[in-house]
Amino acid sequence: METTDNRLLLEECGGKHRVRISVDRGGTFTDCVGIFPVEPTAKDPSGERVVVVKLLSEDPTHYSDAPREGIRRILEIATGRPHPRDALLATENIESIRMGTTVATNALLERKGEPCALVVTLGFRDLLKIGNQARPKIFDLSISKPDVLYQHVVQIDERVTLVGYAMDPRPAAQNQSDETNVVVGRSGEHVRILKTPEWATVRKQLQQVFDTGIRSVAVCLMHAYTFTAHEEEIGRIASEIGFTHVTLSSQLSPRIKIVPRAHSATADAYLTPGIRRYVDGFASGFDAGFGDIRIDFMQSDGGLAPVEHFSGLRAILSGPAAGVVGYAVTSYSESEKISLVGFDMGGTSTDVS
């Protein structure tokens, strides 16, 4: 890209254009790209100007939030008007903001997430420590297992079971709905409620966890992928007590296998509070028009999610996924079909894909 003096950009922009902004917020550096229209010239007939700003992700002596500071600098260039650091950032010239971030990635790698508790069916307190018995290095005598993400475990005295042959492709054909304590789950399978929790006991258990200072919980019960009532009631009680974040596995990842479902719920409870604080802090520096801007965050699957739906679980590979999408678009040739290897070395983590 041609290097252009910023003062020339100020003269050309005239303060009348809307700017599309993309941000890569890493652990060490933050890169911001602004694209905005300018009057076409013989030298630049495209009628569009691209400005790149690179700055430290943490520099508290100069600014509180790197992406917002990068956007401020881009707006000054694009509009030709000063945007003071100590004032709310005007949004009238912003068309959209798209951001990929390694905030969740680094929090997970460095174990700097939110203290959280796991709520699980009685008898499964060590579910995630045992895992699924996978042995990638079966003859290794010095296995090092990563620590679990939660600080406390709450065991709920409840139990449900599936009725009949669970692999029957036509479970609804089984005439068992008239049995005592049998309900039809949302997957169509019949579920027998063997034991309903004592909700007063559950409230007492959760209150004890709350009193330790923990404000985030992950709830994962047996067969909750189809029978959600117990998880939903636990979530309601936790919210009443004052927990600021409650993850229900039946809502987050309604899959059959409880181990991956519990892993997902725990990761979400561990990371989402930090993500929400980051997003709220980012938004707090803009004026009232911030809600009218389209703001999307890159998810781990390479898709974009509106800011209100961005969660910790789906943010773990936000930054790396954005890199994959980028080099797939810019470097892969449909005609040549040559495979690509992406290498992104940052200050905190390195991603190879």
Side-chain angles (χ1 to χ4, degrees), residues 64-65 68 274-286 290:
S64 59
D65 184 80
R68 193 168 62 239
I275 285 290
R276 296 316 309 174
R277 282 194 297 270
Y278 174 74
V279 171
D280 292 343
F282 172 71
S284 66
F286 292 85
F290 184 79

Side-chain angles (χ1 to χ4, degrees), residues 91-109:
T91 57
E92 59 185 359
N93 292 108
I94 300 176
E95 179 177 325
S96 64
I97 298 174
R98 294 180 173 182
M99 187 183 302
T101 175
T102 58
V103 170
T105 312
N106 295 339
L108 184 61
L109 291 176

Side-chain angles (χ1 to χ4, degrees), residues 281-347:
F282 172 71
S284 66
F286 292 85
D287 64 16
F290 184 79
D292 299 326
I293 303 172
R294 177 171 179 175
I295 303 173
D296 296 314
F297 277 79
M298 179 67 70
Q299 299 188 111
S300 299
D301 60 3
L304 292 169
V307 62
E308 61 270 16
H309 295 153
F310 192 51
S311 69
L313 177 65
R314 294 180 173 87
I316 294 175
L317 297 178
S318 169
V324 171
V325 173
Y327 73 70
V329 171
T330 59
S331 304
Y332 182 74
S333 170
E334 283 288 347
S335 59
E336 297 179 357
K337 296 187 181 303
I338 299 176
S339 300
L340 299 176
V341 175
F343 182 86
D344 178 8
M345 181 176 180

Side-chain angles (χ1 to χ4, degrees), residues 13 21 39-40 53 57 96 108 123 155 175 182 210 220 249 279 348:
C13 295
I21 299 172
E39 296 297 330
V53 174
S57 293
S96 64
L108 184 61
Q155 297 190 85
N175 186 21
V182 173
F210 185 84
C220 185
S249 72
V279 171
T348 307

Side-chain angles (χ1 to χ4, degrees), residues 219-221 224 231 247-255 261-262 265:
V219 185
C220 185
L221 304 180
E231 281 199 358
T247 297
L248 304 183
S249 72
S250 55
Q251 295 179 358
L252 179 73
S253 179
R255 56 192 303 178
R261 187 155 46 88

Side-chain angles (χ1 to χ4, degrees), residues 22 28 121 126 135-136 143 168 245 248 250 254 333:
S22 299
T28 306
T121 301
D126 294 321
R135 299 289 191 274
I143 296 292
D168 191 332
H245 180 79
L248 304 183
S250 55
S333 170

Side-chain angles (χ1 to χ4, degrees), residues 108-109 111 128-131 134 136 142-150 263:
L108 184 61
L109 291 176
R111 289 297 193 267
L128 296 186
K129 291 184 178 179
I130 297 171
S142 56
I143 296 292
S144 177
K145 296 177 61 178
D147 292 333
V148 293
L149 299 178
Y150 53 83
H263 275 304

